[in-house]
Amino acid sequence: MNIKELLDSNKDKKRFMLGNEAAVRGVLESGVSLAATYPGTPSSEIGDILFKVAKDANIYFEFSSNEKVAVEVAASAASSGLRTFSFMKHVGVNVASDSLMTSAYMGVEGSFLLLVADDPSTFSSQNEQDTRHFARQANIPIFEPSNPQEIKDFIHYAYDISDKYNIPVILRTTTRVSHMRGIVKTDIYTKNEVNKGLYENIGLHVPVPEIARTMHKNLIEKIHDLREISNKSPLNQLFDNGADIGIITSGGAYNYVCDVLNQNNVNVNILKLGFTHPFPEDLVKEFLENNSEVLVVEEVDAIHEMETLAVAGTYGINTKIHGKKDGILPEILEYTPDILFNALISLGLIKNNTIEVNNPTKIPLPSRPATLCSGCPHRASFYAARSVINSLNLDVESIHPSDIGCYTLGIAPPYNMANYLMSMGASVGASCGFSKATENQPIISFIGDSTFFHAGIPPLINAIHNKMKFTLVILDNRITAMTGGQTNPGIPVDGMGDEAPAISIESLVKSIGVGFVKIVNPLDVNKMIDTYRDALNYDGVSVIISKYPCNLINKQEIRARNYKIKVDSSKCIHCNKCVNQLACPSINEIDNEIIIDQTCNKCSVCVDVCPTGAIHKE
């Protein structure tokens, strides 16, 4: 849809929206004054849209340096009486959790919504952790929509709860819910008129132990009240079909349940949970009493299942409860209609001879591994590093801690430039550990510019102070590329699209005492190779800033390259360095001939790599 249509004031207008578009419409309708995020798939589109509409909507929006900062910005603004919004992917909550936990104690004078997009099956993440654990640990209410309409509507409901109980709230989506499209009926939207709030010191914003104990008592009382609200909430829906078997489900899993039941004419009762913490115990108790067997369908962890089992145990209810714990459903990955189909077979609700939901083709789908784009500057950085490592003829393996971003693809052959990865910024911290724990193993670690600002600076300070030895390559491609091209502190543009001071990575790195700092254009492969050699010989922490813009923001320059890259077959000796070592997707060997196809971005790295000059500019 046209992004500007999200600012249409019409009520009851139906639009075909992406889940993340519906989230934006929801916060616009709710009168949000401030929003802050660090981009992360599957929530990235929300920030991309707010970046484009914030000025027209009179909302302050920023891409914060990390998720913890984003939560601090939103929570403090909410404590000044504003209605605020923050959003992130599930692993971002790990970073934000330190401040998020205490924000629940402190509460808010305005209202504060945190949207978290979980990623079952790890489509774009390093794990598939379940945000619902954080909600329970922090005692923050959580809501789980199952489609775009519910995302928008639940946002209104969530803000009402936050307003009434002065408590932060969480809206949990998943990849499928964030990225599904559906019809959304809009409510009235009026342009935000609130720009500033008023902070008042009410004595409960500094959680020293004595005050924190009072804060915790107040929070528990809120949760007790909210448990009663959850039992009566319209977000929890009972579909009584007069059956003896029931399903308790929530979020995106509800959609799979409906698909399988409808396509196989299975009749069961359904309790769809939307307000899932505090857990609606009374509602679940009544559902258990009215069904002889209950299947709990949820993604990813068995949270509702364990709470349902606890309700049954507390009240002595003998209903058989199935789910992940008895092996009816898998304990990992997102669900599919096929998984639900097989679970219902196990329960005897579907006969084995029933037509299956999906009839997969017998033709195997081709493998499509992720790869760096043609002309990506990271490829040149990895090629140069691998060339230097190979030239050392080591008896031991080199160590390459990597980080979260496009460059994680350095794990693949022929580069093999990633063999340890934990989380944002951990490439630097891990290099510190390897520096002290190993000997005679070269350490070259990689981190992106946005990730460096996010979480790479503190461990680099640690490395200097504790006299580590390793080479850190900061892959500065001038944008937050992995999530679609958002700004970061190294870019002279802020989240409102205005000019902003760009933080110099070189100056920052030098200011903390790094003695070896070199900025190199990675497309100059020979210079990059020489720089790697010098860096590895440096006795201490060496930093190479590999600086060249991502293709996403470099299209104008690419179009301006008024030459083509050609292959002179008479000079080609079929060493295949261009195919096997550089591994650019635009270069292939076909019928014993090197071919450069139309996807070539003319970065010219292959020209430097070719030992005979067969590849050349024309």
Side-chain angles (χ1 to χ4, degrees), residues 90 116 118-119 127-136 142 144 172 298-304 324:
H90 60 309
V116 182
D118 283 8
D119 191 18
N127 68 40
E128 54 177 349
Q129 70 188 47
D130 195 321
T131 296
R132 296 176 300 169
H133 290 293
F134 275 107
R136 284 151 177 80
I142 190 167
E144 296 186 64
R172 183 212 187 208
E298 58 188 318
E299 297 171 332
V300 172
D301 295 336
I303 296 175
H304 295 160
K324 298 173 184 286

Side-chain angles (χ1 to χ4, degrees), residues 82-325:
L82 298 184
R83 177 163 280 193
T84 67
F85 179 52
S86 185
F87 52 98
M88 59 196 61
K89 68 184 297 173
H90 60 309
V91 289
V93 184
N94 299 335
V95 181
S97 62
D98 198 5
S99 295
L100 181 63
M101 296 293 160
T102 305
S103 75
Y105 273 43
M106 295 167 63
V108 291
E109 278 62 63
S111 49
F112 171 33
L113 169 65
L114 173 64
L115 184 150
V116 182
D118 283 8
D119 191 18
S121 288
T122 64
F123 290 105
S124 57
S125 312
Q126 66 268 41
N127 68 40
E128 54 177 349
Q129 70 188 47
D130 195 321
T131 296
R132 296 176 300 169
H133 290 293
F134 275 107
R136 284 151 177 80
Q137 183 178 351
N139 268 323
I140 292 176
I142 190 167
F143 311 95
E144 296 186 64
S146 62
N147 58 55
Q149 180 71 60
E150 288 189 349
I151 289 176
K152 187 193 75 69
D153 294 343
F154 281 26
I155 284 174
H156 284 282
Y157 187 93
Y159 274 120
D160 288 344
I161 292 293
S162 184
D163 275 335
K164 184 175 181 180
Y165 291 93
N166 302 118
I167 192 171
V169 294
I170 294 176
L171 188 83
R172 183 212 187 208
T173 65
T174 58
T175 300
R176 298 297 181 188
V177 177
S178 293
H179 290 164
M180 73 185 297
R181 290 190 179 273
I183 300 297
V184 176
K185 186 177 179 181
T186 58
D187 290 301
I188 293 175
Y189 159 69
T190 55
K191 185 175 180 177
N192 175 55
E193 295 180 354
V194 180
N195 294 106
K196 300 292 181 181
L198 176 67
Y199 174 74
E200 297 181 75
N201 183 7
I202 60 174
L204 288 175
H205 288 154
V206 183
V208 294
E210 182 179 358
I211 296 176
R213 287 190 285 270
T214 299
M215 290 177 173
H216 195 192
K217 177 178 178 292
N218 292 343
L219 177 59
I220 294 303
E221 289 174 353
K222 292 178 183 178
I223 291 298
H224 283 314
D225 290 344
L226 285 166
R227 183 167 289 110
E228 294 303 313
I229 299 295
S230 72
N231 279 309
K232 301 172 184 176
S233 172
L235 273 55
N236 299 321
Q237 296 177 274
L238 173 64
F239 302 95
D240 187 348
N241 296 313
D244 189 42
I245 294 180
I247 293 178
I248 297 175
T249 186
S250 62
Y254 167 73
N255 300 322
Y256 302 130
V257 168
C258 290
D259 286 346
V260 176
L261 296 182
N262 292 336
Q263 291 182 28
N264 293 278
N265 296 315
V266 177
N267 187 48
V268 298
N269 303 319
I270 299 174
L271 178 58
K272 177 183 182 294
L273 300 181
F275 191 157
T276 62
H277 179 74
F279 193 63
E281 294 181 4
D282 294 346
L283 194 61
V284 172
K285 172 179 176 288
E286 183 179 353
F287 190 73
L288 291 176
E289 289 172 339
N290 292 329
N291 291 275
S292 61
E293 292 185 74
V294 166
L295 175 67
V296 183
V297 182
E298 58 188 318
E299 297 171 332
V300 172
D301 295 336
I303 296 175
H304 295 160
E305 183 179 350
M306 294 298 293
E307 289 175 321
T308 300
L309 286 165
V311 170
T314 298
Y315 296 100
I317 302 171
N318 294 322
T319 300
K320 292 181 180 179
I321 298 170
H322 306 285
K324 298 173 184 286
K325 292 300 179 182

